[in-house]
Amino acid sequence: MMRGYFDHNATTPLHPAARAAWLEATDRCWQNPSSLYREAAAVKHRLEEARERLADLLGCDPGRVIFTSGATESNNALVRWLAQKSGPEAIVVSSSTEHPSLAEPLEHEFRGRVLKMPAHADTSLNLEAADRLIQPGNTALVTVMAANNESGTLNPWRDLTALCRARQVPYHCDASQWIGKLPLTGFGECDYLTGSAHKFGGPKGIGFLMVRDENERFHLARGGPQEEGRRAGTENYPAIEAMVTALEAVEETLDSVMPQQSAWRDAFETTLCSLIPGTRIVGQEVSRLWNTSLFVLPAHDHRKWLGRLSQAGFAVSTGSACSAGDNGASSVMQAIQAPVEEWRRVLRISGGWETTAEEWQALAEALGKVGAGL
Ligand code: PLP
């Protein structure tokens, strides 16, 4: 039995409100929204209502929202689309700390033409670098995530939105880690926005891409009229309903969750550093997500720590779930050019709205015990 789940940046449990919405929609609204009889039309109607509710939360026109299977699809599809539209010399400005679901398609489609804003040692980005790197008239896109998935560092996406608008360059923000954890104000001003339901209490396999203009002729998938012909394939209405319900539910409790959880996270870090001297918190000096703690341990491969913690009933991560599988090295530690020996000595802890103060403290103590036994 898992006692403490601290891997919310990888995925979250289904929010109870989302579960109820999903069950209701699955039982009662399973018909194909593109069919023409009355029940199907009712599903289509509810689907469009869900789009309006999401657009309302994001502060954008509903026609700008395209439902996708999640952030990986949104990022890949956007990059592919912009590569098709732009000339062979066009460049992209991005950062060195982007998620692989963005960084890899960028390298694939714009090989050798991706200019990266460097990250400071605290994992924050240098906004002036974006200004310097943008080539007027030759920049297909500026794309910088809202919050980093490993360190939780908050990026200046609102400033980037304004900068890109002034320079007349489109700006895309992968907000997968921000949405559901911090207020959404301002996202409607971005040109493109990526979100993923399972990061904020919704089901897996559903997300969205907000595009610049509802009339922009996107073809994320061809072969059907769904999503105004922009992404063919039968819409997963129950998952969409659950996603929007989850976001409404978490947004409602943010005001109380944020200060409480960040105080518990901070207390966890204080206890941790006192129990394991030599531990260094990454990004502690800059604004971070309230749920995330990335730290470098003084010794031993992080997989050893993770294994012992798992035995003790705690789920944590060695970095992002995507990079943790291959060679285990943290990609953000590489991006900040940390000493090589630190790449495999980091743990990422990420709590959620349902995490208790006792769980945070129990994790710090478990870490202390594991450290003493290694
Ligand atoms: N972008 C960021 C910043 C992420 O943290 C993740 C998941 O870890 C993804 C994209 C991929 O999300 P999905 O699982 O919805 O494809």
Side-chain angles (χ1 to χ4, degrees), residues 200-227:
F200 54 78
K204 290 158 197 42
I206 191 76
F208 62 87
L209 176 67
M210 184 192 83
V211 297
R212 179 150 60 163
D213 175 351
E214 61 188 288
N215 298 316
E216 198 174 358
R217 289 324 304 160
F218 263 91
H219 292 291
L220 305 191
R222 294 176 194 268
Q226 294 90 351
E227 302 296 282

Side-chain angles (χ1 to χ4, degrees), residues 2-196:
M2 188 67 76
R3 284 207 307 277
Y5 180 71
F6 284 93
D7 201 16
H8 287 75
N9 289 6
T11 197
T12 57
L14 198 58
H15 194 287
R19 182 173 182 275
W22 186 85
L23 285 173
E24 194 268 342
T26 296
D27 286 345
R28 299 193 41 201
C29 297
W30 46 267
Q31 295 84 356
N32 190 324
S34 299
S35 296
L36 297 178
Y37 36 82
R38 200 170 59 193
E39 294 81 356
V43 178
K44 174 78 176 151
H45 183 72
R46 285 181 55 164
L47 173 66
E48 292 313 319
E49 276 181 351
R51 194 188 312 276
E52 280 167 26
R53 282 156 54 208
L54 179 58
D56 212 37
L57 289 167
L58 298 175
C60 73
D61 196 277
R64 294 179 63 197
V65 175
I66 304 177
F67 293 118
T68 66
S69 65
T72 300
E73 180 190 333
S74 297
N75 288 346
N76 272 263
L78 176 70
V79 170
R80 206 168 46 238
W81 173 251
L82 288 171
Q84 281 166 18
K85 277 201 337 180
S86 53
E89 306 292 319
I91 59 132
V92 172
V93 175
S94 188
S95 86
S96 53
T97 58
E98 295 303 304
H99 190 268
S101 64
L102 186 83
E104 286 186 25
L106 276 182
E107 274 312 320
H108 183 75
E109 300 288 348
F110 291 87
R111 193 171 297 279
R113 291 180 285 135
V114 185
L115 310 182
K116 293 185 182 168
M117 296 159 66
H120 300 296
D122 57 18
T123 81
S124 68
L125 298 174
N126 184 347
L127 184 64
E128 288 82 60
D131 196 29
R132 224 178 26 250
L133 294 172
I134 290 172
Q135 297 172 5
N138 193 35
T139 306
L141 184 71
V142 174
T143 172
V144 176
M145 66 189 352
N148 186 266
N149 46 302
E150 283 192 49
S151 61
T153 306
L154 308 185
N155 290 331
W157 60 268
R158 291 192 180 93
D159 296 330
L160 283 163
T161 306
L163 173 71
C164 291
R165 183 151 299 176
R167 306 288 297 270
Q168 297 188 313
V169 173
Y171 172 60
H172 166 246
C173 184
D174 177 351
S176 304
Q177 293 293 346
W178 180 295
I179 297 175
K181 299 191 187 99
L182 291 170
L184 302 168
T185 321
F187 278 131
E189 304 299 315
C190 298
D191 294 300
Y192 302 101
L193 186 77
T194 289
S196 177

